[in-house]
Amino acid sequence: MDMDAFSAVNADKWSRLHELAYKGRLSGPEADELLTLYQSTSSHLSLIRSLAPESGLSASLSATLAQARTRFTGARSNVMADLARFFVVALPAAFYRLTWLTLACGAAFVLIGTAYALWIGTSPEALRAVASEAAARQYVEEDFISYYSENPAASFAGAVWTNNAWISAQAVALGITGVWVPMILFSNAQGVGIAAGIFAAAGKSDVFYSYILPHGLMELTAVFIACAAGLRIFWAMVSPGPRTRGRAVAEEGRSLVTVALGLVLVLFVSGLVEGFVTPSTLPVWAKIGSGAAVLAGYWLYVFACGRPAYLAGERGDLRREDAGYTEIAA
């Protein structure tokens, strides 16, 4: 079939359908016309997809048909139902499918950080290479601790939240490059490892971990999740399997945007811990216990809600009709 000729013959009908689908108010005859055009265009879309499923024309007609369908059937669900589905099904399933890759990113982070901590903490030459004796002493005795309390807790928590959410969003969005995720993992592991090494060299590792663990348990896990999401998008481009490369990247991208949105909430909680719990006068065991409880709550949520949803086929993507991959029945 000549696609250009087919488009030229039916362009006026498609244009009219688009006009009616987005018109504010329809008269009786216009509503009848909308239904007729919807039925004929559905057939056209089915034919076009059989020849060029990834074309711009296919996507455009799919969007118009979805809008037209909404005009005469109404919305599929209300806002509260959509929110419930997002938090109970889509989000935990999207987190769950990243579990093993999240743990792999965490293991890589720990290995790199531990290597730097041991190197800086046991080698005077390495310590001098990263900081002078006076600078290291000031960092251990003043700068590191004052960082958590020099600003009001609420504003500090907000600043930490937005900064970490931005880093996580970058890891997801730029993961397709294949280099951004390793760079983020390495630079963060290096920074934490060097800080741990400086404290170890001063014999104050307990102080370091009492300040880094309460919020760091969840905060760093969120970074690992974001890195795992970015790697999934990259791998979808490299090895799409039976799907076309464009479709594989689109499906992974939509699913992992769900992860990015969920991480905003996760990092909000860890930001509250960092702003209010980490610099508090609570006993060390209580502060670390609070951080551990937040982390345990995350994994409980992932496995209790996400695993059943994932096994049922949920991946955190849009519904197939919203994604434009299935024919809308007449």
Side-chain angles (χ1 to χ4, degrees):
M1 183 182 73
D2 188 330
M3 188 66 71
D4 292 335
F6 184 74
S7 298
V9 169
N10 294 287
D12 290 342
K13 295 180 181 178
W14 300 339
S15 177
R16 179 59 174 166
L17 175 64
H18 185 276
E19 177 186 347
L20 292 175
Y22 287 91
K23 187 175 181 180
R25 186 183 297 273
L26 297 176
S27 65
E30 285 176 332
D32 292 339
E33 184 183 6
L34 174 66
L35 180 57
T36 300
L37 290 172
Y38 171 83
Q39 292 172 332
S40 63
T41 304
S42 294
S43 299
H44 297 163
L45 178 59
S46 179
L47 179 59
I48 291 169
R49 280 182 174 158
S50 68
L51 300 173
E54 303 295 333
S55 68
L57 178 59
S58 174
S60 176
L61 288 180
S62 179
T64 300
L65 284 168
Q67 175 63 21
R69 180 177 182 274
T70 300
R71 291 303 302 273
F72 55 76
T73 63
R76 288 182 304 275
S77 60
N78 59 40
V79 173
M80 296 308 296
D82 287 338
L83 284 175
R85 180 183 181 277
F86 177 80
F87 286 109
V88 178
V89 178
L91 179 59
F95 280 151
Y96 179 80
R97 70 194 293 256
L98 296 174
T99 295
W100 291 110
L101 199 49
T102 297
L103 295 176
C105 290
F109 180 96
V110 170
L111 288 174
I112 295 170
T114 300
Y116 268 96
L118 291 174
W119 181 41
I120 301 297
T122 59
S123 171
E125 293 79 9
L127 178 60
R128 285 194 296 270
V130 298
S132 66
E133 182 178 347
R137 185 183 306 110
Q138 179 169 337
Y139 179 72
V140 170
E141 296 178 357
E142 297 180 26
D143 294 348
F144 181 81
I145 297 174
S146 64
Y147 166 76
Y148 295 100
S149 56
E150 61 186 0
N151 293 306
S155 62
F156 178 64
V160 167
W161 174 37
T162 53
N163 178 68
N164 291 331
W166 172 239
I167 292 174
S168 297
Q170 285 180 308
V172 176
L174 299 178
I176 195 170
T177 64
V179 298
W180 195 260
V181 167
M183 184 181 73
I184 287 178
L185 272 178
F186 182 84
S187 62
N188 279 274
Q190 182 186 47
V192 172
I194 289 175
I198 292 174
F199 271 84
K204 294 187 176 182
S205 291
D206 57 330
V207 175
F208 174 78
Y209 290 111
S210 70
Y211 276 86
I212 203 72
L213 287 180
H215 64 275
L217 289 171
M218 189 67 256
E219 182 181 287
L220 290 175
T221 299
V223 173
F224 305 152
I225 297 165
C227 289
L231 290 176
R232 282 299 296 257
I233 298 178
F234 171 69
W235 191 247
M237 183 183 67
V238 173
S239 180
R243 302 171 292 180
T244 64
R245 183 165 280 104
R247 178 166 179 168
V249 171
E251 288 178 350
E252 289 294 340
R254 288 193 305 268
S255 175
L256 298 175
V257 164
T258 299
V259 172
L261 292 174
L263 287 178
V264 172
L265 301 177
V266 170
L267 288 168
F268 175 71
V269 175
S270 70
L272 291 178
V273 174
E274 186 167 2
F276 292 93
V277 177
T278 297
S280 72
T281 57
L282 288 171
V284 172
W285 65 265
K287 293 196 288 186
I288 296 178
S290 298
V294 171
L295 181 62
Y298 166 80
W299 285 114
L300 179 62
Y301 169 68
V302 168
F303 278 89
C305 297
R307 187 172 185 274
Y310 179 82
L311 294 178
E314 178 64 45
R315 297 296 181 268
D317 195 359
L318 296 173
R319 293 183 176 93
R320 293 185 63 81
E321 61 268 27
D322 291 336
Y325 285 138
T326 58
E327 180 180 353
I328 302 174

